[in-house]
C-alpha cells in the first residue's frame, strides 16, 4: 500500500505560479508511475502529468509548456510546478501512484486561479 500526502494548493492570480508537493510512504524507486490528476466541478478527473519509473513523462495537452513534474528521490516526494496559471486550471489536484498493479490517491488539494 502507498500513502500519499499532498500540499501546496491555494489561491493564485491568473499568470501566477504555484508548486504542489506529494510525499509518498514508499521509495519512488519502487513505484511504477507517479502523477498528478485534477478534477474541476462537474467535470471528470483528468491527467495533468505523470512520470514512470523509467523517467518517461506524459502531460495533458492543456498544460504542456506550463507545468512540469519532478521528483526528489531521497525524500520520496513528487512535485508539480505550475506556471502561467489560467482560471480554467482551477480544480482539486490529486497525487496518484501506480504500485504493484494498484492505484493509490492522495486526499487532494484545491487550486484556485482567480483575480
Amino acid at each position: 500500500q502507498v500513502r500519499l500526502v499532498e500540499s501546496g494548493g491555494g489561491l493564485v492570480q491568473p499568470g501566477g505560479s504555484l508548486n504542489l508537493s506529494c510525499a509518498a510512504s514508499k521509495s519512488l524507486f519502487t513505484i511504477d508511475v507517479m502523477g498528478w490528476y485534477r478534477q474541476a466541478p462537474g467535470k471528470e478527473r483528468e491527467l495533468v502529468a505523470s512520470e514512470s519509473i523509467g523517467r518517461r513523462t506524459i502531460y495533458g495537452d492543456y498544460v504542456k509548456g506550463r507545468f512540469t513534474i519532478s521528483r526528489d528521490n531521497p525524500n520520496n516526494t513528487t512535485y508539480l510546478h505550475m506556471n502561467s496559471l489560467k482560471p480554467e486550471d482551477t480544480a482539486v489536484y490529486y497525487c496518484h501512484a501506480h504500485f504493484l498493479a494498484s492505484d493509490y490517491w492522495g486526499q487532494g488539494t484545491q487550486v484556485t486561479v482567480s483575480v
Side-chain angles (χ1 to χ4, degrees):
Q1 212 170 18
V2 181
R3 188 166 64 92
L4 304 170
V5 179
E6 301 118 332
S7 61
L11 173 65
V12 63
Q13 292 187 345
S17 299
L18 206 59
N19 295 320
L20 304 182
S21 302
C22 173
S25 61
K26 290 190 180 295
S27 168
L28 298 187
F29 291 117
T30 67
I31 299 175
D32 299 306
V33 181
M34 289 292 298
W36 292 90
Y37 285 71
R38 69 186 185 186
Q39 188 166 19
K43 294 188 177 181
E44 294 189 355
R45 193 171 293 190
E46 62 185 9
L47 172 69
V48 176
S50 69
E51 184 176 27
S52 70
I53 197 169
R55 308 303 293 269
R56 178 173 177 259
T57 57
I58 297 174
Y59 291 92
D61 288 341
Y62 26 83
V63 304
K64 282 181 180 177
R66 300 189 297 123
F67 292 11
T68 303
I69 189 170
S70 67
R71 60 171 58 196
D72 178 358
N73 287 328
N75 290 308
N76 299 335
T77 301
T78 294
Y79 300 97
L80 183 67
H81 308 281
M82 304 184 292
N83 297 314
S84 302
L85 283 160
K86 306 175 181 179
E88 51 264 43
D89 294 319
T90 295
V92 178
Y93 284 69
Y94 296 92
C95 183
H96 167 261
H98 187 74
F99 174 72
L100 295 181
S102 294
D103 293 303
Y104 299 90
W105 299 91
Q107 79 283 1
T109 185
Q110 177 70 45
V111 172
T112 302
V113 185
S114 179
V115 297

